[in-house]
Amino acid sequence: MIILAHGAGANMHHEFMTQMAKGLSVGATVVRFNFPYMRANAIDGKRRPPDRAPKLIADYALQLSILKQQFKPKKVYLVGKSMGGRMSTILAESLKVDGVACLGYPFIPLSGGEPRLEPIEGGLAPLMVIQGERDKFGHKGLVDTWPEMKKVQLHWLTDGDHSFKPRKSSGTTLEANLAQAVSLIKGFISQLS
């Protein structure tokens, strides 16, 4: 079972999430959910900032528990977009999962500050990070210099931004980058199986 967690600004029905779920669902059960602030948004239409990490983690742990009871999977992999990836790595510090894949990990807050490396350092599950080369939250040439990344399978998507979208001049497409991300995650899971 793959649990696919959304990023801060878009819910589980966002086109990125839908495309990833569709690509990953061949040969696996893929489940998506909305974090509490997005569930509230679905009810009243009001945009909200994400809840604080402790609330997100508590909800994620509850979702995981319910899904394990419902599906009784042999293996559980957490895949998250941006904030969802960060929450997945934090959750994997305390709950046993078989692997974590982050799609555009938000290493550096846009407001500045220290890189968010604690979940990567403290993670117990095998971890893969798929990052666009031009990601404003952590780009190639910066992220790959950090010693903490040596314990991570780190993959770069050609000219991709935080949503993996390349520039037209790059010679590649968003579809190609998304397909590569799906292929990398499938390879990661089969390697761990």
Side-chain angles (χ1 to χ4, degrees):
M1 180 172 71
I2 297 171
I3 300 176
L4 188 55
H6 66 77
N11 67 25
M12 70 179 189
H13 299 295
H14 186 270
E15 188 178 347
F16 181 97
M17 296 294 290
T18 302
Q19 286 183 281
M20 290 306 295
K22 184 177 178 187
L24 292 171
S25 65
V26 179
T29 299
V30 178
V31 183
R32 292 176 278 170
F33 69 95
N34 279 326
F35 284 109
Y37 73 101
M38 280 295 183
R39 293 197 296 268
N41 170 264
I43 294 167
D44 63 18
K46 292 181 184 169
R47 258 183 96 70
R48 296 168 171 78
D51 298 304
R52 294 220 159 285
K55 184 173 182 178
L56 295 173
I57 293 299
D59 186 70
Y60 200 162
L62 177 63
Q63 300 291 336
L64 180 57
S65 172
I66 292 166
L67 293 168
K68 278 182 171 179
Q69 287 175 1
Q70 184 178 351
F71 291 98
K72 306 204 179 336
K74 291 186 177 102
K75 301 221 175 218
V76 174
Y77 300 93
L78 306 180
V79 178
K81 172 67 184 119
S82 191
M83 178 198 77
R86 184 167 161 246
M87 294 305 117
S88 296
T89 58
I90 293 170
L91 189 62
E93 290 178 48
S94 58
L95 290 179
K96 186 186 175 333
V97 296
D98 296 286
V100 177
C102 301
L103 305 168
Y105 189 91
F107 287 104
I108 300 170
L110 289 183
S111 57
E114 291 300 308
R116 299 169 172 142
L117 296 171
E118 297 84 10
I120 291 168
E121 293 170 313
L124 302 174
L127 177 63
M128 178 169 68
V129 173
I130 302 171
Q131 200 83 351
E133 290 178 340
R134 297 181 300 113
D135 193 325
K136 61 189 174 191
F137 290 93
H139 57 82
K140 189 170 187 175
L142 173 66
V143 171
D144 38 10
T145 65
W146 296 327
E148 295 84 355
M149 298 309 291
K150 288 189 176 27
K151 68 181 271 189
V152 174
Q153 287 190 35
L154 179 61
H155 299 278
W156 295 100
L157 297 181
T158 304
D159 200 54
D161 63 10
H162 191 57
S163 297
F164 302 160
K165 186 176 180 180
R167 294 170 288 202
K168 284 189 175 148
S169 62
S170 69
T172 191
T173 63
L174 174 60
E175 290 71 28
N177 277 349
L178 291 175
Q180 185 182 356
V182 167
S183 176
L184 287 165
I185 294 167
K186 287 182 172 184
F188 177 65
I189 289 172
S190 67
Q191 170 195 332
L192 296 172
S193 296

